[in-house]
């Protein structure tokens, strides 16, 4: 790949870096407890939590670093951190 | 109104898990919207988001140096004006870039009145270079250049009052915000970006690595900063404080205890005088901004 | 149109004709007359530009950097301490490949503080990636600005350029100057088209950092672009000559060099004095010639080797010194001539505005004939 003049890049390239491999703990989302408030989606520093069809939220494990912030802040205690199995 | 559902700061960036600055980047961009040109200063946010060619920015973004972001933004704004273009210019700089090394450029740019929004994500030290103190480091915080030791309680200097300094430049809109209150933060950014002239928003962005706490605590700690009065969320319109977040205050100890950078105040022995001094800083903040909610006695 | 004009004003006129859209500059002697003249043009609607009255030279070049990245033709001017304050930004602008043009009214660097001429300031930035032009007189200084934009903005180059002319000696001197018309300059220098720009409609990240996997190649590419500038300067300089009768295609220019036994190499206004001295020496039967370096970056090594291939010895005049080593120009000329074995001696002179006269040049010629050189010239022995 030729270098881009001025050390420049187009958007989208950070996605090549799959930060999910950093994870030690994995957030498990319990949709039965979830009130669909969307707080986790707002506060995830990775922006990797997405709304699925029925309004439930799920993280994209390709990028989730397992920081635990969503689990800590979830008002319904619907997200549990579990040791990652590798 | 900008569409806050749009993600303009992408996955795959290299911030530590639970990084307050990374969350700030996401939220700021939601508030600013996609018609924005971002100017970054050297620092954690720049480094974790743009190792060539893996950029996390979906808006036009530029980085030049550590200390010149506001001058670069001045030039961009002038150029846009000459071209008759409508994009908004937003600066994203750390506290070191803002409080310390960028001061001359910032002062000049605010004086000239360029139409931009300057956002300082304040993690209260130079994190990118290994947690050295800055003008934003709070009193008694231990950093690698203000370490606590047998004859030191850490950083001896008070936090510089940047919002007031910039308000004194005539900035039409100055605000403080916190990643702990995302809706308020996004709203303030949107307001700043909409306001003509040079606006300033200082965003409290706890750094788990530099302050010494687990990444899952980032928001809890940011909230405690506000609940203890050590960080005050307010707005200043034309130099006058117009909106302040009020709290039922907790003792500062509850905040200090959560972070390794203040551990020397409790171990090996409790430093009552130092804690009392920090409490007095919070008390002064509370008085100055009138943040206390008085509970009625039953 | 011929006008008797101060050098600085002639340069300001040339800059105006280039239609910069954003100007950011900070006053410093002896650059002030240029930026004052431009401010006056903007204030009187003779130039449609945004003129940013910055807080420092550091901000001046940073603002130009931003404006250039956003898609505008930009201009700044400085010298000496101001250029030193821009040091960090200079490297940045070149690495980001932004075609900013900046005038340097060459002046000494403190300490001791001196407002007078030498070329230490721009020479000290020789490693920064900027194209460096040096003018002998004000006509050349004026023309080179127009050429500089063409070269800098060429998509095969995309590098910033200094147009250097000696502080006071040229900047404050009145000479008859041919000021081109707007129509002519517009024909020569097209409207600015950025190679890439910050634009919400087509976002890019610009000025990212490079890991060790990429950095070396970025530096290599910038070096290649700077070297490519040689060819573009020759082409553009020739075109200028065809259109306006003054040919700047040569990176180096010989004066009475054809049969010369001794060659003097110099840059800037000193070349005028050297030419006069050569005429007198020629009249006295001495075979002396001058090789004037107009473009110092990219360094015209092959051109120098070729131009000097027949001389017996070379004296290089440096209005600068790489302290602890030698004059920068002498070092590079010696490198260019290494394979030929022609002896090269360097002379550090004229620093901080010390006058250089014809008799000094003649004395240097007799020194180089004796093989004496690589030394300061013109020291006042009574002070040492
Ligand atoms: C002129 C200059 N001095 C020093 C540095 C080294 N440096 C890079 S980032 C940085 C600290 C950044 O601190 P801050 O602005 O608070 O951002 P943070 O990394 O904390 O997010 C320093 C000192 C530099 N890049 N340039
Ligand atoms: S664990 Fe952290 S990174 Fe993963 S989804 Fe939750 S907040 Fe996002
Ligand atoms: S060191 Fe702090 S600011 Fe830097 S990426 Fe890590 S958590 Fe974020
Ligand atoms: Mg910081």
């Amino acid at each position: 790949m030729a270098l881009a003049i001025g050390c420049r890049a187009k958007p989208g390239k950070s996605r090549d870096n799959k930060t999910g491999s950093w994870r030690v703990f994995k957030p498990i989302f319990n949709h039965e407890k979830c009130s669909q408030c969307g707080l986790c989606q707002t506060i995830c520093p990775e922006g990797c939590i997405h709304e699925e069809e029925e309004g439930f939220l799920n993280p994209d494990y390709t990028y989730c670093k397992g920081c635990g912030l969503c689990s800590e802040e979830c008002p319904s205690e619907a997200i549990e951190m579990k040791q990652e199995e590798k | 109104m900008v569409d806050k559902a749009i993600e303009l700061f992408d996955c795959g960036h290299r911030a530590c898990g639970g990084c307050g600055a990374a969350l700030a980047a996401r939220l700021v961009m939601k508030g600013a919207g996609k018609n924005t040109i971002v100017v970054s200063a050297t620092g954690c946010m720049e480094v974790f988001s743009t190792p060539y060619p893996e950029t996390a920015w979906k808006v036009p973004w530029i980085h030049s140096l550590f200390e010149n972001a506001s001058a670069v933004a001045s030039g961009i704004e002038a150029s846009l004006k000459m071209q008759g273009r409508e994009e908004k210019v937003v600066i994203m700089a750390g506290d070191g870039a803002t409080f310390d090394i960028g001061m001359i450029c910032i002062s000049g740019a605010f004086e000239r009145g360029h139409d931009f929004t300057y956002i300082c994500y304040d993690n209260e030290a130079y994190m990118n270079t290994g947690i050295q103190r800055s003008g934003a480091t709070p009193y008694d915080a231990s950093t690698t250049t203000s370490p606590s030791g047998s004859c030191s309680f850490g950083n001896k200097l008070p936090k510089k009052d940047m919002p007031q300094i910039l308000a004194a430049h005539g900035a039409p809109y100055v605000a403080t915000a916190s990643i702990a209150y995302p809706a308020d933060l996004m709203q303030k950014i949107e307001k700043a970006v909409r306001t003509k002239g040079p606006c300033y928003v200082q965003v409290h962005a706890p750094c788990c690595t530099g302050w010494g706490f687990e990444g899952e605590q980032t928001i809890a700690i940011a909230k405690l900063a506000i609940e203890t009065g050590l960080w005050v969320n307010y707005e200043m319109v034309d130099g006058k404080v117009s909106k302040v977040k009020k709290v039922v205050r907790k003792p500062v100890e509850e905040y200090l205890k959560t972070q390794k950078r203040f551990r020397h105040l409790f171990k090996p022995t409790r430093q009552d005088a130092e804690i009392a001094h920090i409490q007095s800083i919070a008390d002064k903040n509370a008085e100055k901004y009138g943040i206390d909610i008085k509970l009625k006695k039953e | 149109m011929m006008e008797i004009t101060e050098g600085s004003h002639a340069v300001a006129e040339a800059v105006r004709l280039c239609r910069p859209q954003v100007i950011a500059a900070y006053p410093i002697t002896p650059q002030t007359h240029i930026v004052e003249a431009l401010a006056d043009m903007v204030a009187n609607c003779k130039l449609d530009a945004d003129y940013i009255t910055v807080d420092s030279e550091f901000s001046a070049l940073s603002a130009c950097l931003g404006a250039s990245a956003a898609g505008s033709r930009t201009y700044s001017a400085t010298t000496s301490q101001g250029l030193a304050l821009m040091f960090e930004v200079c490297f940045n602008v070149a690495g980001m490949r932004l075609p900013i043009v900046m005038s340097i009214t060459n002046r000494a660097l403190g300490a001791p503080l001196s407002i007078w001429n030498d070329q230490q300031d721009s020479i000290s930035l020789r490693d920064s990636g900027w194209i460096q032009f040096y003018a002998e007189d004000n006509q050349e200084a004026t023309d080179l600005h127009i050429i500089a934009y063409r070269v800098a903005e060429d998509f095969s180059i995309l590098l910033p350029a200094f147009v250097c002319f000696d502080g006071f000696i040229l900047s404050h001197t009145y000479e008859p100057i041919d000021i081109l018309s707007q129509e002519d300059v517009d024909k020569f220098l097209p409207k600015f088209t950025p190679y890439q720009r910050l634009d919400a409609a087509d976002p890019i990240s610009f000025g990212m950092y490079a890991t060790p996997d990429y950095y070396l190649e970025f530096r290599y590419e910038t070096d290649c672009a700077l070297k490519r500038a040689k060819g573009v300067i020759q082409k553009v300089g020739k075109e200028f000559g065809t259109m306006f009768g003054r040919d700047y295609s040569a990176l180096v220019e010989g004066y009475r060099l054809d049969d010369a036994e001794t060659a003097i190499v110099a840059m800037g206004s000193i070349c005028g004095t050297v030419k006069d001295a050569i005429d007198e020496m020629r009249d006295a039967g001495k075979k002396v010639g001058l090789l004037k370096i107009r473009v110092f970056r990219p360094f015209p090594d092959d051109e120098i080797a070729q131009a000097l291939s027949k001389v017996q010895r070379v004296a290089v005049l440096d209005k600068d010194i790489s302290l602890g080593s030698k004059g920068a120009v002498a070092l590079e000329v010696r490198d260019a001539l290494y394979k030929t074995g022609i002896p090269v001696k360097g002379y550090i002179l004229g620093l901080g505005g010390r006058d250089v006269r014809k008799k000094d040049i003649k004395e240097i010629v007799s020194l180089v004939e004796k093989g004496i050189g690589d030394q300061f010239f013109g020291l006042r022995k009574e002070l040492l």
Side-chain angles (χ1 to χ4, degrees), chain C residues 111-359:
Chain C
L113 182 71
S114 164
I115 59 165
W116 293 280
N117 166 253
D118 64 37
Q119 295 165 344
Q120 188 70 57
D121 49 2
S122 50
I123 293 275
S124 298
L125 267 293
R126 65 187 180 274
D127 303 334
S128 65
W130 287 60
I131 297 163
Q132 293 199 9
F133 294 100
Y134 286 81
E136 177 185 344
D137 56 33
N138 284 330
Q139 185 67 60
E140 190 172 0
T142 308
D143 294 341
L144 284 176
H145 280 82
I146 303 164
I147 288 171
Y149 275 110
R150 265 288 296 276
V151 176
E153 292 169 4
D154 190 292
F155 280 3
S156 70
I157 309 300
L158 295 170
L159 283 172
F162 290 157
V163 180
C164 307
F165 60 117
D166 288 319
F168 290 116
I169 300 172
L170 294 180
S171 63
H172 286 52
T173 300
Y174 282 74
E175 286 174 32
I177 311 255
D178 176 25
I179 308 275
L180 299 174
S181 71
Q182 187 67 67
E183 295 73 44
D184 281 346
V185 174
D186 285 348
K187 265 181 241 152
F188 179 79
L189 178 68
K191 241 184 99 201
F192 182 57
T193 313
Y195 172 78
Q196 55 196 359
R197 66 172 197 186
L198 298 165
D199 186 346
D202 182 19
I204 54 167
S205 288
F206 199 5
M208 306 172 73
Y209 79 92
T211 58
D213 289 341
Y214 294 102
Y215 186 85
L216 187 65
E217 286 73 18
F218 273 112
R219 297 297 280 173
Y220 171 75
E221 295 238 311
T222 305
D223 183 55
C224 289
L226 190 47
K227 285 176 177 151
R228 273 198 299 275
K230 275 191 188 184
V232 177
I233 293 167
Q234 286 161 342
K235 189 187 87 190
V236 170
K238 195 176 178 69
E239 201 179 307
F240 191 94
T242 312
M243 285 177 76
F244 309 121
R246 291 182 295 274
D247 188 313
Y248 294 101
S249 59
L251 308 176
V252 294
E253 224 170 58
Y255 179 77
R256 304 189 81 166
L257 204 55
D258 287 345
D259 62 339
E261 290 164 2
T262 302
I264 298 168
V265 177
M267 295 200 304
S269 63
I270 196 174
C271 291
T273 313
V274 174
K275 284 176 183 171
D276 292 345
I278 285 173
D279 288 345
E280 291 181 14
M281 285 185 277
R282 284 277 180 178
D283 290 345
K286 250 192 201 315
K287 290 187 168 172
V288 187
L290 164 73
L291 186 69
K292 157 177 140 180
I293 297 181
R294 180 184 292 128
V295 180
F296 183 62
R297 281 292 179 274
F299 192 71
D301 41 9
D302 292 341
E303 292 76 3
I304 289 172
Q306 211 199 324
L308 299 180
S309 63
K310 294 200 207 89
V311 305
Q312 289 168 24
R313 61 192 80 81
V314 176
V316 182
L317 312 184
D318 263 290
K319 280 192 176 183
D320 66 275
I321 169 137
S322 178
L323 290 171
S325 180
K326 302 198 169 67
V329 185
L331 283 173
E332 301 206 19
V333 169
R334 183 168 304 162
D335 177 60
L337 293 180
Y338 179 71
K339 280 194 216 133
T340 67
I342 298 167
V344 176
K345 295 286 174 201
Y347 304 86
I348 310 292
L349 78 183
L351 302 190
R354 180 67 55 85
D355 202 17
V356 180
R357 300 146 303 181
K358 282 184 286 187
K359 72 177 180 58

Side-chain angles (χ1 to χ4, degrees), chain B residues 21 42-45 66-67 93-98 101 121 123 125-129 132 134, chain C residues 88:
Chain B
T42 312
C44 263
M45 190 186 285
F66 185 21
E67 64 278 35
D95 49 289
T98 306
I101 200 164
Y121 67 95
N123 53 21
Y126 303 158
M127 296 314 176
N128 185 48
T129 37
Q132 296 86 14
S134 78
Chain C
E88 196 187 7

